[in-house]
Amino acid sequence: MTYIFGHKNPDTDTITSSISMENLEKKLGNSDVKAFKLGKINKETEFVLKYFGITEPETLEKIEEKADVILVDHNTFSQSIQGIEKANILKVIDHHCISEFTTKNPLFYLAMPVGCTQTIIYELYKTNKVEIEPKIAGLMVSAIISDTLLFKSPTCTQKDIEIANELAKIAGIDIESYGMEMLKAGTDLSDFTPEELINIDSKKIESNGVNIQVAQINTASIEDVLKGQADIENAINDFIKKNNINIFMLLITDIINSNSEAIVLGDKSEIAEKAFGKKIEENRIFLEGVVSRKKQVFPVLMENT
Ligand code: MG
Ligand code: MG
Ligand code: MG
């Protein structure tokens, strides 16, 4: 059996890319493959799966040594399942930087600097001349909308836009109205405890001995989220202690106006002040036009470590 999965704290791209990869592999005659998830899905992904009538993948708790795996939407081992170092990685389909990745065996590795893994998987369907079913196209376009915040993120490329429009046609959806509805579904944070909130979409990078953790949530109202700032700060401080984090940023991203307010804590929080050229006040920093952790946050923080 080949296990297909994306990163921990799964997002819509990670979950749906696992499903579309499983679909493609099966169509290419590899019947013993299965998509999994590495954690609880978020509200946006829940909306997407329900909309297109697709069952949520099972959770993968651990992996045997030498198990065959296909990684989507990540390559960094710390963002993958425990024991990944000893698995047999057959393929990687990803759109992130490669910072800590080694394998014992040759593999199929396809990385492109595009806004979404599904954009790359679309290319694989085309190369292999496999037709994309409407439901799968729906999942794929949803992931592109999610990762690019409806084409507003600086990570978005012309290719993402063209492919998303093509997929929307196959899926039979209006990209603007469906996209807004989908993104709004992801801003429903009412069910989450502060601990869960800071883990919905959270990634760690180590740079020059500094442990940087950046979490991100989407909202239609930054003000609403900040009503719970004190409780969120407690959750972040606990996380910092337990995980030896030097700087933790929670990006609260306004999906309507494409800005972020960040709560910044940690013994090296001054790195954020240097990186963004602004003072942290009340443990917060406003980041005009910042929506992408990958392009606008991690690189500038790393430069200042
Ligand atoms: Mg992702
Ligand atoms: Mg992605
Ligand atoms: Mg993301």
Side-chain angles (χ1 to χ4, degrees):
M1 151 111 119
T2 301
Y3 300 83
I4 308 179
F5 49 88
H7 54 78
K8 286 183 199 163
N9 305 321
D11 56 16
T12 298
D13 187 24
T14 258
I15 296 290
T16 64
S17 288
S18 310
I19 297 170
S20 61
M21 244 343 248
E22 179 196 297
N23 180 272
L24 177 63
E25 289 289 326
K26 284 190 169 153
K27 291 203 163 150
L28 293 172
N30 184 6
S31 59
D32 200 17
V33 292
K34 199 169 170 199
F36 288 90
K37 66 178 191 289
L38 302 189
K40 197 176 152 190
I41 62 167
N42 66 34
K43 293 268 176 175
E44 183 195 271
T45 312
E46 202 179 298
F47 172 92
V48 171
L49 295 178
K50 206 165 159 200
Y51 193 98
F52 293 102
I54 303 271
T55 322
E56 190 179 325
E58 284 169 37
T59 306
L60 190 60
E61 304 285 357
K62 57 174 194 274
I63 199 151
E64 325 83 89
E65 250 180 66
K66 301 206 171 78
D68 289 333
V69 303
I70 294 175
L71 306 185
V72 294
D73 196 35
H74 76 300
N75 66 75
T76 307
F77 288 171
S78 63
Q79 288 166 12
S80 199
I81 196 160
Q82 210 185 331
I84 188 67
E85 297 82 356
K86 292 187 172 152
N88 182 30
I89 303 173
L90 300 177
K91 296 184 186 183
V92 178
I93 319 295
D94 188 29
H95 66 129
H96 292 90
C97 63
I98 306 168
S99 60
E100 37 161 296
F101 184 83
T102 50
T103 60
K104 289 190 191 70
N105 297 311
L107 78 161
F108 178 96
Y109 197 119
L110 185 56
M112 288 186 192
V114 290
C116 182
T117 306
Q118 292 281 29
T119 301
I120 310 172
I121 295 178
Y122 175 92
E123 300 281 357
L124 281 176
Y125 272 88
K126 289 283 140 183
T127 315
N128 288 289
K129 301 192 170 63
V130 175
E131 207 182 306
I132 306 174
E133 303 161 37
K135 277 183 179 187
I136 297 292
L139 298 185
M140 295 173 80
V141 63
S142 298
I144 300 176
I145 295 165
S146 171
D147 267 13
T148 67
L149 279 183
L150 243 181
F151 314 136
K152 282 189 258 169
S153 169
T155 56
C156 186
T157 65
Q158 196 51 40
K159 199 191 261 284
D160 294 299
I161 298 172
E162 281 162 19
I163 289 173
N165 280 299
E166 187 59 44
L167 289 165
K169 249 187 254 158
I170 303 171
I173 56 152
D174 175 76
I175 210 162
E176 289 291 329
S177 59
Y178 169 81
M180 252 313 154
E181 203 188 332
M182 185 205 93
L183 289 174
K184 284 223 175 97
T187 66
D188 176 10
L189 305 169
S190 52
D191 277 6
F192 295 96
T193 65
E195 291 72 27
E196 288 171 333
L197 194 78
I198 64 165
N199 273 299
I200 294 174
D201 178 9
S202 186
K203 283 184 183 159
K204 186 189 150 189
I205 276 189
E206 203 233 89
S207 171
N208 295 321
V210 180
N211 288 323
I212 308 172
Q213 186 91 29
V214 181
Q216 185 169 31
I217 51 175
N218 289 343
T219 183
S221 163
I222 289 174
E223 238 180 33
D224 273 1
V225 177
L226 289 178
K227 284 181 191 146
Q229 187 178 346
D231 293 330
I232 294 171
E233 284 186 15
N234 286 335
I236 293 176
N237 282 322
D238 280 349
F239 187 96
I240 286 176
K241 257 187 240 151
K242 273 189 206 132
N243 299 282
N244 268 321
I245 301 303
N246 300 111
I247 171 168
F248 190 115
M249 287 183 81
L250 172 68
L251 304 175
I252 305 162
T253 300
D254 177 342
I255 57 160
I256 313 286
N257 301 303
S258 304
N259 296 312
S260 295
E261 178 94 38
I263 296 178
V264 192
L265 293 166
D267 59 8
K268 297 245 165 75
S269 58
E270 78 277 359
I271 290 172
E273 296 193 328
K274 270 194 277 165
F276 297 103
K278 272 183 142 179
K279 280 265 165 256
I280 296 169
E281 281 170 58
E282 294 175 54
N283 296 328
R284 299 198 314 261
I285 196 163
F286 182 71
L287 306 174
E288 176 113 45
V290 171
V291 296
S292 168
R293 166 177 47 203
K294 176 160 65 174
K295 273 216 162 160
Q296 297 169 298
V297 179
F298 268 140
V300 279
L301 290 176
M302 289 166 80
E303 264 171 39
N304 286 282
T305 55

